Protein backbone atom coordinates (compact mmCIF):
# COMPACT_ATOMS: atom_id res chain seq x y z
CA UNK A 1 0.00 0.00 0.00
CA UNK A 2 1.39 3.38 -0.98
CA UNK A 3 0.40 6.80 0.35
CA UNK A 4 0.86 10.48 -0.40
CA UNK A 5 4.26 10.18 1.31
CA UNK A 6 5.46 6.72 0.31
CA UNK A 7 5.60 5.27 -3.17
CA UNK A 8 5.73 1.73 -1.76
CA UNK A 9 6.04 -0.18 1.50
CA UNK A 10 7.98 -3.44 1.33
CA UNK A 11 7.95 -6.01 4.12
CA UNK A 12 11.47 -6.74 5.36
CA UNK A 13 10.71 -9.50 7.82
CA UNK A 14 8.10 -10.03 10.54
CA UNK A 15 8.87 -6.72 12.29
CA UNK A 16 10.48 -4.52 9.65
CA UNK A 17 9.66 -2.73 6.42
CA UNK A 18 11.28 -0.50 3.83
CA UNK A 19 9.35 2.63 2.94
CA UNK A 20 10.21 3.90 -0.54
CA UNK A 21 9.84 7.66 -0.92
CA UNK A 22 11.25 10.64 -2.83
CA UNK A 23 14.71 11.74 -1.73
CA UNK A 24 13.41 15.13 -0.58
CA UNK A 25 11.11 13.50 1.98
CA UNK A 26 13.53 10.97 3.46
CA UNK A 27 14.81 13.12 6.34
CA UNK A 28 11.45 14.61 7.44
CA UNK A 29 9.75 11.22 7.11
CA UNK A 30 12.49 9.51 9.14
CA UNK A 31 12.16 12.20 11.81
CA UNK A 32 8.37 11.76 11.98
CA UNK A 33 8.67 7.97 12.25
CA UNK A 34 11.34 8.29 14.95
CA UNK A 35 9.34 10.71 17.10
CA UNK A 36 6.16 8.65 16.85
CA UNK A 37 7.48 6.20 19.44
CA UNK A 38 6.11 3.25 17.47
CA UNK A 39 9.38 2.02 16.01
CA UNK A 40 12.53 0.48 17.44
CA UNK A 41 14.85 1.69 14.71
CA UNK A 42 14.57 4.16 11.84
CA UNK A 43 17.34 4.16 9.21
CA UNK A 44 17.19 6.65 6.30
CA UNK A 45 18.78 5.78 2.95
CA UNK A 46 18.91 7.58 -0.39
CA UNK A 47 15.26 7.11 -1.42
CA UNK A 48 13.88 4.92 1.35
CA UNK A 49 13.57 4.52 5.11
CA UNK A 50 14.00 1.22 6.93
CA UNK A 51 11.91 0.79 10.09
CA UNK A 52 11.79 -1.98 12.65
CA UNK A 53 9.24 -2.29 15.44
CA UNK A 54 8.55 -4.10 18.72
CA UNK A 55 5.78 -6.64 19.22
CA UNK A 56 3.39 -3.86 20.27
CA UNK A 57 3.50 -2.33 16.77
CA UNK A 58 2.30 -3.84 13.48
CA UNK A 59 2.80 -3.03 9.82
CA UNK A 60 -0.80 -1.77 9.85
CA UNK A 61 0.34 0.94 12.28
CA UNK A 62 3.01 1.93 9.79
CA UNK A 63 0.51 2.09 6.93
CA UNK A 64 -1.85 4.16 9.07
CA UNK A 65 0.85 6.64 9.98
CA UNK A 66 1.96 7.00 6.37
CA UNK A 67 -1.59 7.97 5.42
CA UNK A 68 -1.60 10.89 7.85
CA UNK A 69 2.00 12.03 8.36
CA UNK A 70 2.82 15.51 7.05
CA UNK A 71 6.28 16.01 5.59
CA UNK A 72 5.49 19.17 3.66
CA UNK A 73 7.26 21.41 6.12
CA UNK A 74 10.97 22.03 6.37
CA UNK A 75 13.13 19.08 7.27
CA UNK A 76 14.29 19.08 10.89
CA UNK A 77 17.65 20.78 11.27
CA UNK A 78 20.35 18.76 12.98
CA UNK A 79 23.60 19.99 14.42
CA UNK A 80 26.11 21.95 12.36
CA UNK A 81 29.48 20.23 12.16
CA UNK A 82 32.59 21.83 10.74
CA UNK A 83 35.25 19.66 9.13
CA UNK A 84 38.67 21.34 8.65
CA UNK A 85 40.24 20.19 5.40
CA UNK A 86 43.64 20.36 3.79
CA UNK A 87 42.83 20.67 0.08
CA UNK A 88 45.74 18.62 -1.20
CA UNK A 89 43.99 15.55 -2.60
CA UNK A 90 45.53 13.52 -5.42
CA UNK A 91 42.50 14.06 -7.68
CA UNK A 92 42.36 17.85 -7.47
CA UNK A 93 44.02 18.30 -10.86
CA UNK A 94 41.72 15.68 -12.39
CA UNK A 95 38.61 17.40 -10.99
CA UNK A 96 39.96 20.73 -12.26
CA UNK A 97 40.37 19.31 -15.77
CA UNK A 98 36.86 17.82 -15.83
CA UNK A 99 35.07 20.84 -14.40
CA UNK A 100 37.13 23.63 -15.91
CA UNK A 101 37.44 25.14 -12.43
CA UNK A 102 40.78 26.20 -11.02
CA UNK A 103 41.90 24.60 -7.78
CA UNK A 104 41.14 27.79 -5.79
CA UNK A 105 37.68 27.79 -7.36
CA UNK A 106 37.15 24.15 -6.37
CA UNK A 107 38.11 24.96 -2.78
CA UNK A 108 35.84 28.01 -2.74
CA UNK A 109 32.90 26.03 -4.11
CA UNK A 110 33.39 23.12 -1.74
CA UNK A 111 33.74 25.32 1.34
CA UNK A 112 31.03 27.76 0.29
CA UNK A 113 28.15 25.34 0.81
CA UNK A 114 26.34 23.94 3.83
CA UNK A 115 25.66 20.28 3.14
CA UNK A 116 22.98 18.01 4.56
CA UNK A 117 24.00 14.59 5.86
CA UNK A 118 21.46 12.48 4.01
CA UNK A 119 22.29 8.89 4.89
CA UNK A 120 25.09 6.54 5.97
CA UNK A 121 26.36 3.72 3.81
CA UNK A 122 29.31 1.86 2.31
CA UNK A 123 31.23 1.81 5.62
CA UNK A 124 30.50 2.70 9.27
CA UNK A 125 30.62 6.47 9.60
CA UNK A 126 30.61 7.15 5.85
CA UNK A 127 27.97 9.83 5.45
CA UNK A 128 26.62 10.83 2.06
CA UNK A 129 26.21 14.61 2.14
CA UNK A 130 23.96 16.38 -0.37
CA UNK A 131 24.17 19.93 -1.64
CA UNK A 132 27.33 19.61 -3.72
CA UNK A 133 27.51 22.55 -6.16
CA UNK A 134 26.68 21.51 -9.70
CA UNK A 135 30.11 22.61 -10.93
CA UNK A 136 31.74 19.92 -8.73
CA UNK A 137 29.48 17.04 -9.73
CA UNK A 138 31.94 14.69 -11.39
CA UNK A 139 31.61 10.93 -11.99
CA UNK A 140 33.34 8.31 -9.90
CA UNK A 141 36.78 7.25 -11.05
CA UNK A 142 36.81 4.65 -13.81
CA UNK A 143 39.23 2.55 -11.75
CA UNK A 144 38.64 2.55 -7.97
CA UNK A 145 41.61 2.64 -5.64
CA UNK A 146 42.41 -0.48 -3.64
CA UNK A 147 43.00 1.66 -0.55
CA UNK A 148 41.85 5.19 0.21
CA UNK A 149 43.40 6.85 3.24
CA UNK A 150 41.38 7.44 6.38
CA UNK A 151 40.15 11.05 6.42
CA UNK A 152 40.15 11.51 2.65
CA UNK A 153 37.61 14.14 1.59
CA UNK A 154 35.95 13.19 -1.67
CA UNK A 155 33.32 14.07 -4.26
CA UNK A 156 31.35 11.89 -6.67
CA UNK A 157 28.11 12.42 -8.55
CA UNK A 158 25.91 14.66 -6.35
CA UNK A 159 27.63 13.80 -3.05
CA UNK A 160 30.60 14.71 -0.91
CA UNK A 161 31.88 12.63 1.99
CA UNK A 162 34.84 11.71 4.18
CA UNK A 163 36.29 8.22 4.24
CA UNK A 164 36.17 7.30 7.96
CA UNK A 165 38.71 4.48 7.66
CA UNK A 166 41.13 2.97 5.18
CA UNK A 167 39.08 1.22 2.50
CA UNK A 168 38.75 0.72 -1.24
CA UNK A 169 37.03 3.61 -2.99
CA UNK A 170 36.24 5.15 -6.33
CA UNK A 171 35.45 8.74 -5.39
CA UNK A 172 37.59 11.73 -6.39
CA UNK A 173 39.88 12.73 -3.53
CA UNK A 174 40.21 16.49 -3.13
CA UNK A 175 41.50 16.82 0.42
CA UNK A 176 42.13 15.30 3.81
CA UNK A 177 40.98 15.83 7.40
CA UNK A 178 42.23 14.50 10.73
CA UNK A 179 38.75 14.66 12.28
CA UNK A 180 37.63 11.27 13.63
CA UNK A 181 34.41 10.36 11.82
CA UNK A 182 33.82 6.98 13.47
CA UNK A 183 35.13 5.84 16.86
CA UNK A 184 33.91 2.54 18.29
CA UNK A 185 35.21 3.53 21.73
CA UNK A 186 32.90 6.55 21.87
CA UNK A 187 29.44 6.41 23.42
CA UNK A 188 28.10 7.62 20.08
CA UNK A 189 30.54 6.23 17.47
CA UNK A 190 29.43 8.23 14.43
CA UNK A 191 30.31 11.93 14.48
CA UNK A 192 27.73 12.86 11.85
CA UNK A 193 24.07 11.81 11.87
CA UNK A 194 21.43 12.00 9.13
CA UNK A 195 19.92 15.46 9.16
CA UNK A 196 23.06 17.17 10.43
CA UNK A 197 24.47 20.14 8.54
CA UNK A 198 28.08 19.79 7.47
CA UNK A 199 30.46 22.57 6.53
CA UNK A 200 33.96 21.98 5.17
CA UNK A 201 36.43 24.72 6.06
CA UNK A 202 40.03 25.33 5.04
CA UNK A 203 42.20 24.11 7.88
CA UNK A 204 45.44 22.47 8.83
CA UNK A 205 43.89 19.41 10.45
Amino acid sequence: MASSVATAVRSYGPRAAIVDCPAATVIPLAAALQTSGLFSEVVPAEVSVLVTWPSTTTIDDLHGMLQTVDVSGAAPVGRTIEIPVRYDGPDLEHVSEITGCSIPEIVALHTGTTYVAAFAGFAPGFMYCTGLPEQLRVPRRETPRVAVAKGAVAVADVYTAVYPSVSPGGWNLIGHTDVELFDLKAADPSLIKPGDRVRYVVGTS
Side-chain angles (χ1 to χ4, degrees):
M1 180 191 304
S3 71
S4 58
V5 175
T7 57
V9 178
R10 295 175 283 147
S11 177
Y12 202 64
R15 294 182 184 174
I18 294 176
V19 180
D20 296 322
C21 58
T25 65
V26 166
I27 295 299
L29 176 58
L33 293 169
Q34 186 69 62
T35 57
S36 72
L38 293 172
F39 305 102
S40 305
E41 188 174 18
V42 178
V43 183
E46 185 174 24
V47 288
S48 65
V49 180
L50 169 70
V51 293
T52 65
W53 53 80
S55 58
T56 52
T57 300
T58 69
I59 196 168
D60 289 336
D61 294 321
L62 173 61
H63 283 300
M65 183 173 179
L66 292 174
Q67 295 295 328
T68 60
V69 67
D70 180 11
V71 295
S72 61
V77 177
R79 303 162 300 160
T80 297
I81 297 173
E82 287 196 349
I83 306 291
V85 179
R86 297 189 299 274
Y87 285 91
D88 56 2
D91 295 325
L92 265 176
E93 290 286 354
H94 178 64
V95 172
S96 178
E97 291 174 6
I98 293 176
T99 62
C101 297
S102 67
I103 290 176
E105 287 171 336
I106 291 171
V107 174
L109 285 166
H110 195 252
T111 58
T113 300
T114 298
Y115 302 90
V116 176
F119 59 96
F122 172 64
F126 190 99
M127 190 64 63
Y128 290 75
C129 294
T130 60
L132 188 68
E134 189 171 351
Q135 300 98 309
L136 297 183
R137 296 179 183 180
V138 294
R140 289 168 170 78
R141 290 169 50 88
E142 290 185 5
T143 303
R145 291 181 169 89
V146 174
V148 173
K150 175 182 178 180
V153 178
V155 295
D157 298 333
V158 298
Y159 301 110
T160 185
V162 179
Y163 283 82
S165 58
V166 177
S167 67
W171 290 29
N172 301 278
L173 311 181
I174 62 172
H176 187 272
T177 182
D178 292 329
V179 171
E180 193 74 38
L181 272 292
F182 189 79
D183 182 4
L184 276 175
K185 297 178 182 178
D188 197 352
S190 186
L191 174 66
I192 306 173
K193 303 291 186 185
D196 285 345
R197 270 43 181 176
V198 178
R199 290 194 60 86
Y200 296 93
V201 298
V202 177
T204 58
S205 61

